[in-house]
């Protein structure tokens, strides 16, 4: 997965550092003078293989094949217990006395799985304790299949040699918290640790009634943490005038408004960033954002998200701050480049991610994000200029490179004996091509399969050369790579979309993330937001940062009374339905309404939106009618509509029928399975059920070249196109007839 980049071009006009805690140990993060806890803080954490990056079952094909996952060890804890809960299946054709699966932790064999023939082909479960002393900062858990199906003349790539490890397998970690130094030089640790592959869980604490400015600063920090967490996801909670549970937390406080547990903290004279032990558990830390007033909180937050690399000590006092220039549209660090082809090397964390080894290597996967309104209608495909290398094959026949996107097969390229692929490659849709080509200049990825979140797959298949009945020249040293200089090009496509389309919001935060710093966005909260409202707001902001890889430096936060100052912006409204007055004011414009147990679907007069997020086109089918229904229990909702305050601007409302229902809406936005079901203008969330509907009018954002717009318009009106075609034929025929008559009259006159 691609990790977000840090902000660039930062100018801090002054940071004054002052330590206010006892000296730290020079050799590491553990503080010798940190007060010891009354009892060791021990907890249990469970990671599934899917959370560790295995989006699919781990497949082992052929003898000596290898598969694995990685996980990290946090710097503020020590793993004292490690248990592997394995779910696996293996081939019933393998010989039980010769076949087995090795389990390796950091390349050391820690266990061997027997493969009894009577259990072959049946799902198996096994619990294995592992030795935590083998762990490092980053760890690799691998599985190697040693498979045999006969005692004579084996083919190491025979189809009967296989085993699969389910990605629902889990690793249970028993961890003990360690005392951590009060030093911001390690920030963002311990609040976010990149070695922790689980979702980031971070409480935010405020005074009894936090101000709008304090909440805006917290939203900015939440988006920054979301950018750091990336694919892990975030889970924020909010606390008003209460100490968060014994875990790392962020606290916002001014001299006049602060939680009671900070009552004895001396007032500050400048914007201040500080780290201190949790009052109940010194192993846990509180990140304090302090100021004389609300403006100081905003200044301290800006300095934290942009200048964290320059911090050290237990306390940092900010003397000044200057923000970078505003971002340009579609230049989010996590997205493909809008102005030029994007190199595949820019889409991975390490060039090693573009390499594969083995006779049947695992596919090379490259993830990338594109803007939600990228308009690819009428395109033959997305250009992919591909360069690749591989070990030269003695037997090249049957060796190939299979290329796919989002699990759709695109094309297969034959490998030759030279070990070098063509410098450019062009994939086309099968319906547009007459078969597969072996010598290709360029690959065109099918545009209808490219959405906001995408993954390309490159699967090398090496053929083995067999000479004679028992002779085999199988080479176990095959190496293959996709060149980091290969490019994918989205720069030639315009930006145009039919809205509302909540699928674009769920997958990429569009239309708000069009500007990576959210400078065209205003977030609207109730006049007196509850803790659940603020928690939902922070989670939505975290999702924005996760999408763009950049903090929301320039968005506006207002309550419902401040709409006049942000009427020209896209509006993101967050709050429970009982407190949001806008739901009543805009009642006749909403696709659905929530009033206690009663739900009403408004009459729709627009076209149903296409479910394909890449096209952003409106499809056929008029939506009209009204449905009234009653439902008990918590119900979350996400609604989309054109802003009633400004034409062409968007409103997305994240709400619920009661305060606790807000977590259902924001939780669904962090669940890939539920996100895939979101579309249209109304998404209703109850438990695991997602109901998406397209109701109400459709509006359009962006612009198209004139000729493209004409063809798009005519494609939606086939009768008009037919009439214009007939008219064109008549005009052309009339012109030809007049020409022939003129020529005939001229010949008669000359004769």
């Amino acid at each position: 997965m691609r990790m977000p980049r840090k902000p660039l071009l930062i100018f801090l006009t002054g940071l004054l550092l002052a330590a206010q805690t006892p000296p730290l140990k020079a050799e590491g993060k553990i503080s010798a003078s940190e007060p010891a806890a009354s009892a060791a803080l021990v907890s249990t954490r469970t990671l599934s293989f899917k959370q560790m990056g295995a989006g699919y079952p781990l497949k082992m094909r052929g003898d000596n094949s290898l598969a694995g996952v990685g996980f990290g060890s946090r710097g503020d804890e020590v793993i004292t217990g490690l248990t592997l809960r394995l779910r696996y299946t293996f081939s019933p054709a393998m010989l039980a006395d010769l076949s087995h699966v090795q389990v390796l932790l950091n390349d050391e064999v820690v266990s061997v799985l027997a493969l009894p023939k009577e259990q072959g082909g049946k799902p198996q479960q096994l619990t294995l304790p592992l030795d935590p002393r083998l762990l490092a900062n980053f760890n690799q858990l691998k599985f190697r299949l040693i498979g045999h199906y006969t005692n004579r003349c084996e083919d190491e790539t025979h189809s009967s040699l296989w085993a699969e490890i389910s990605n629902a397998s889990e690793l249970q970690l028993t961890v003990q918290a360690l005392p951590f130094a009060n030093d911001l030089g390690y920030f963002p640790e311990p609040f976010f640790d990149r070695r922790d592959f689980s979702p980031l869980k971070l409480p935010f604490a405020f005074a009894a009634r936090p101000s709008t400015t304090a909440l805006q600063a917290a939203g900015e920090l939440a988006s920054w943490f979301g950018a750091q967490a990336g694919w892990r996801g975030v889970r924020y909670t909010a606390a008003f005038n209460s100490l968060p549970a014994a875990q790392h937390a962020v606290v916002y406080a001014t001299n006049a408004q602060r939680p009671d547990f900070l009552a004895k903290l001396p007032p500050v004279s400048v914007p201040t960033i500080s780290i201190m032990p949790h009052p109940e558990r010194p192993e846990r830390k509180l990140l304090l954002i302090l100021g004389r007033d609300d403006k100081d909180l905003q200044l301290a937050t800006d300095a934290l998200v942009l200048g964290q690399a320059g911090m050290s000590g237990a306390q940092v006092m900010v003397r000044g701050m200057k923000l970078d220039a505003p971002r340009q549209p579609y230049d989010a660090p996590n997205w493909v480049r809008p102005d030029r082809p994007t190199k595949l090397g820019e889409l991975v964390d390490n060039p090693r991610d573009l390499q594969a080894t083995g006779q049947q290597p695992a596919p090379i996967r490259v993830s990338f994000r594109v803007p939600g309104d990228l308009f690819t209608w009428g395109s033959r495909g997305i250009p992919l200029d591909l360069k690749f290398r591989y070990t030269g094959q003695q037997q090249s026949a049957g060796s190939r490179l299979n290329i796919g996107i989002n699990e759709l097969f695109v094309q297969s390229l034959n490998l030759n004996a030279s070990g070098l692929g063509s410098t450019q490659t062009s994939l086309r849709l099968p319906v547009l091509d007459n078969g597969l080509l072996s010598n290709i200049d360029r690959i065109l990825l099918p545009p209808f399969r490219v959405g906001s979140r995408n993954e390309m797959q490159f699967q090398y298949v090496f053929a083995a050369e067999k000479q004679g009945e028992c002779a085999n020249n199988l080479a176990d040293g095959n190496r293959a790579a996709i060149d980091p200089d290969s490019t994918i090009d989205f720069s030639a496509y315009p930006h145009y979309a039919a809205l509302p389309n909540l699928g674009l919001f769920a997958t990429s935060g569009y239309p708000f993330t069009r500007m990576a710093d959210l400078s065209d966005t205003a977030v609207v909260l109730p006049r007196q937001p509850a803790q659940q409202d603020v928690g939902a707001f922070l989670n939505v902001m975290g999702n924005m940062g996760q999408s763009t890889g950049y903090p929301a430096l320039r968005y506006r936060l207002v309550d419902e009374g401040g709409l006049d100052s942000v009427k020209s912006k896209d509006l993101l409204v967050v709050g429970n339905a009982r407190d949001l007055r806008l739901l009543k004011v805009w009642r006749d414009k909403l696709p659905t309404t929530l009033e206690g147990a009663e739900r009403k679907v408004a009459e729709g007069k627009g076209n149903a939106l296409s479910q394909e997020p890449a096209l952003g086109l409106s499809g056929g089918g008029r939506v009209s009618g009204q449905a009234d229904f009653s439902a008990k229990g918590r119900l979350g909702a996400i609604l989309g509509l054109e802003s009633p305050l400004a034409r062409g601007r968007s409103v997305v409302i994240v709400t619920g029928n009661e305060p606790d229902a807000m977590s259902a809406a924001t939780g669904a936005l962090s669940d890939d399975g539920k996100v895939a079901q979101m579309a249209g203008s109304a998404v209703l969330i109850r438990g695991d059920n997602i109901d998406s509907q397209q109701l109400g009018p459709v509006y359009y954002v962006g612009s198209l070249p004139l000729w493209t717009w004409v063809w798009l318009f005519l494609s939606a009106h086939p009768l008009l196109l037919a009439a214009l075609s007939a008219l064109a034929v008549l005009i052309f025929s009339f012109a030809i007839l007049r020409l022939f008559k003129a020529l005939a009259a001229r010949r008669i006159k000359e004769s």
Side-chain angles (χ1 to χ4, degrees), residues 413-434:
L413 306 179
N414 293 328
L415 304 184
N416 52 48
S418 68
L420 292 175
S422 56
T423 56
Q424 292 185 329
T425 318
S426 171
L427 293 182
R428 303 171 185 268
L429 285 174
V431 297
L432 300 178
D433 232 352
N434 295 323

Side-chain angles (χ1 to χ4, degrees), residues 28-65:
K29 306 174 186 177
I30 308 305
S31 172
S33 58
E34 190 73 50
S38 57
L41 183 59
V42 178
S43 60
T44 300
R45 185 167 65 250
T46 300
L47 290 174
S48 69
F49 283 15
K50 186 175 182 179
Q51 286 178 297
M52 290 186 276
Y56 309 91
L58 304 181
K59 299 180 180 181
M60 294 171 281
R61 297 290 185 266
D63 183 39
N64 206 36
S65 55

Side-chain angles (χ1 to χ4, degrees), residues 447-517:
F448 66 87
R449 291 294 297 188
V450 178
S452 297
R453 302 178 187 176
N454 305 277
E455 183 184 76
M456 286 184 289
Q457 301 91 31
F458 302 94
Q459 175 71 70
Y460 280 95
V461 178
F462 296 114
E465 182 180 15
K466 193 171 183 66
Q467 299 175 342
E469 182 182 0
C470 291
N472 199 326
N473 289 343
L474 180 64
D476 192 36
N478 289 319
R479 299 291 186 270
I482 302 298
D483 196 300
D485 288 335
S486 302
T487 62
I488 184 170
D489 189 3
F490 289 89
S491 61
Y493 296 96
H495 295 273
Y496 187 76
L499 298 179
N501 185 350
L502 292 175
L504 302 183
F505 170 75
T507 56
S508 65
Y510 184 84
F512 310 105
T513 51
R514 173 180 172 273
M515 305 294 292
D517 56 6

